[in-house]
Amino acid sequence: MCMKKVITGIKPTGTIHVGNYAGAIKPALQFLESDEYTPLYFIANMHALNTVTDAELLRKQTLEIAATWLALGLNPTQSLFYCQSDIPELFELNWILANLTPKGLMNRAHAYKALVDKNTTMGLHRDDGVNMGLFNYPILMSADILLFDADLVPVGKDQIQHIEIARDLAQTFNQKYGETFASPEGYIEKDVAILPGLDGRKMSKSYNNVIPLFSEAAQLNKLIKQVKTDSSLPHEAKDPNTSPLFTLYQAFAKDDEVLNMREHFRNGIGWGAVKDAVFEVMNRELTIPREQFQNLVSKPKEIEDILQDGATKARMIAKEKLIQIKERVGLLHI
Ligand code: TRP
């Protein structure tokens, strides 16, 4: 049986919040249940080097992100779960691909282009503050995907261009050296939940409006109390479709609970009661993962063993593929 491979890279940057969970982690974990796909989930710590330059912090965030995924149900026996920096084969492929990458293509990559545009507007040199890690980012990301012949890459919209670059590079390589790489498809989950933050805008670190995923129960309750509401009084009918609290409730409640809550909104439930209900469903879903997370982060050695085990398995695939690639390119001597 030929299972398709689904790959995703998780950058270890910052505290995970409930918006990340509902919008990215939960949908990605669904692939674990599928018998059509083999999931490859890795921690993109090499990519994170571009923004995280404090060694201690990078180490901490790497362990925490691994613990987060494990606590939420990522089962390392149903998937390959590894850390990018433990797969040296990636960096050999990265270099080989770099030689097939037109510089002009990288000039148009959105993260670099956005920085150039900003510099230009500010009257700075176009490449001010640009390092080669940022410039080459899409090449390394292509290596991540192509080395494992991934078929599907679930990502946010902003990453679609990177997948196209990976497809381009795969095609260029295949044309030059013969059919070697599968052509990956980007995948954007359609009905993905975009959760509002405390101020009602999209929950995002940059808006400073997040509910950290593993907040202790009391803290979680306190934060939910801060979520913005309108000034309607208890007993006044409320519109669920414009209420941030309702969106949060919906992301964690069961279908019949959501229906009931809609009814309560129409009948004029008070905001205090809505907040209690939001806390209840969120806390219900997060209590066990929170405990597991705390338990795991207190045992970094266990996390490290899981990651090393994943890397060993991933490298078996990577090594074999790299031999084939080096053979094609003429890097094997005989
Ligand atoms: N660039 C992705 C992000 O910022 C992370 C990433 C790195 C990735 N390598 C990848 C995602 C390979 C999918 C496949 O979110």
Side-chain angles (χ1 to χ4, degrees):
M1 186 176 56
C2 180
M3 297 257 273
K4 289 188 167 176
K5 289 184 190 147
V6 52
I7 195 164
T8 203
I10 306 140
K11 272 204 289 185
T13 44
T15 308
I16 301 295
H17 54 72
V18 296
N20 301 135
Y21 169 62
I25 303 179
K26 226 170 155 181
L29 286 173
Q30 280 169 10
F31 284 103
L32 291 176
E33 311 303 323
S34 138
D35 38 13
E36 241 181 280
Y37 287 101
T38 308
L40 288 86
Y41 292 158
F42 69 94
I43 303 179
N45 59 343
M46 285 291 192
H47 284 289
L49 271 184
N50 205 250
T51 45
V52 189
T53 52
D54 174 333
E56 222 22 80
L57 187 64
L58 184 58
R59 232 189 310 278
K60 178 169 173 279
Q61 289 181 348
T62 302
L63 284 175
E64 283 183 2
I65 201 86
T68 301
W69 282 73
L70 292 166
L72 291 169
L74 188 150
N75 177 346
T77 61
Q78 284 176 324
S79 58
L80 284 180
F81 185 49
Y82 55 92
C83 199
Q84 189 183 30
S85 61
D86 291 329
I87 317 290
E89 290 76 16
L90 282 172
F91 306 97
E92 293 189 55
L93 177 56
N94 176 67
W95 183 252
I96 293 169
L97 293 177
N99 289 279
L100 297 174
T101 311
K103 177 170 177 287
L105 186 63
M106 295 297 95
N107 287 343
R108 293 189 293 278
H110 71 85
Y112 171 66
K113 204 164 159 286
L115 207 54
V116 169
D117 290 348
K118 190 168 150 229
N119 282 338
T120 314
T121 324
M122 290 172 65
L124 297 168
H125 185 279
R126 54 181 282 121
D127 283 337
D128 198 73
V130 175
N131 60 49
M132 292 305 289
L134 172 77
F135 191 68
N136 287 342
Y137 189 108
I139 308 180
L140 180 56
M141 183 158 160
S142 299
D144 292 333
I145 297 169
L146 299 181
L147 187 60
F148 293 98
D149 283 311
D151 299 285
L152 203 65
V153 194
V155 282
K157 277 206 199 78
D158 62 322
Q159 297 295 312
I160 284 295
Q161 188 195 28
H162 291 155
I163 316 283
E164 273 158 17
I165 292 172
R167 289 163 67 93
D168 258 21
L169 294 181
Q171 209 179 20
T172 307
F173 189 103
N174 289 350
Q175 270 164 7
K176 223 183 206 19
Y177 297 112
E179 204 57 31
T180 308
F181 293 118
S183 196
E185 299 272 354
Y187 173 75
I188 297 184
E189 181 94 21
K190 272 191 280 338
D191 300 321
V192 75
I194 298 177
L195 295 195
L198 303 179
D199 57 0
R201 292 187 290 173
K202 180 183 172 189
M203 193 181 293
S204 159
K205 237 185 347 186
S206 48
Y207 293 151
N208 209 2
N209 65 357
V210 308
I211 302 177
L213 184 59
F214 294 131
S215 305
E216 289 300 333
Q219 175 68 5
L220 182 64
N221 201 2
K222 204 170 126 200
L223 287 169
I224 291 168
K225 293 256 152 49
Q226 290 171 22
V227 176
K228 199 177 140 204
T229 58
D230 64 21
S231 55
S232 57
L233 300 170
H235 312 303
E236 282 179 0
K238 298 173 173 60
D239 181 4
N241 301 326
T242 56
S243 160
L245 282 167
F246 187 81
T247 311
L248 291 171
Y249 186 79
Q250 202 169 20
F252 287 87
K254 302 190 180 93
D255 291 349
D256 57 329
E257 292 173 325
V258 175
L259 278 178
N260 279 335
M261 185 54 83
R262 252 182 211 290
E263 194 58 32
H264 288 315
F265 266 65
R266 247 175 262 128
N267 295 337
I269 186 176
W271 287 126
V274 178
K275 288 178 173 178
D276 289 345
V278 171
F279 170 72
E280 209 170 290
V281 289
M282 250 193 215
N283 197 47
R284 177 178 73 193
E285 186 158 328
L286 296 176
T287 298
I288 292 174
R290 183 195 300 136
E291 280 166 18
Q292 272 166 351
F293 174 80
Q294 297 304 354
N295 186 20
L296 277 161
V297 285
S298 69
K299 296 181 207 144
K301 173 80 172 67
E302 269 181 33
I303 304 176
E304 178 61 10
D305 287 348
I306 292 172
L307 290 174
Q308 287 304 329
D309 195 45
T312 305
K313 290 188 205 141
R315 282 192 77 185
M316 293 205 287
I317 303 172
K319 280 182 188 160
E320 201 181 308
K321 186 76 190 176
L322 190 66
I323 290 175
Q324 186 196 5
I325 297 165
K326 287 169 90 169
E327 223 282 308
R328 296 268 153 96
V329 176
L331 286 167
L332 296 187
H333 311 304
I334 48 169

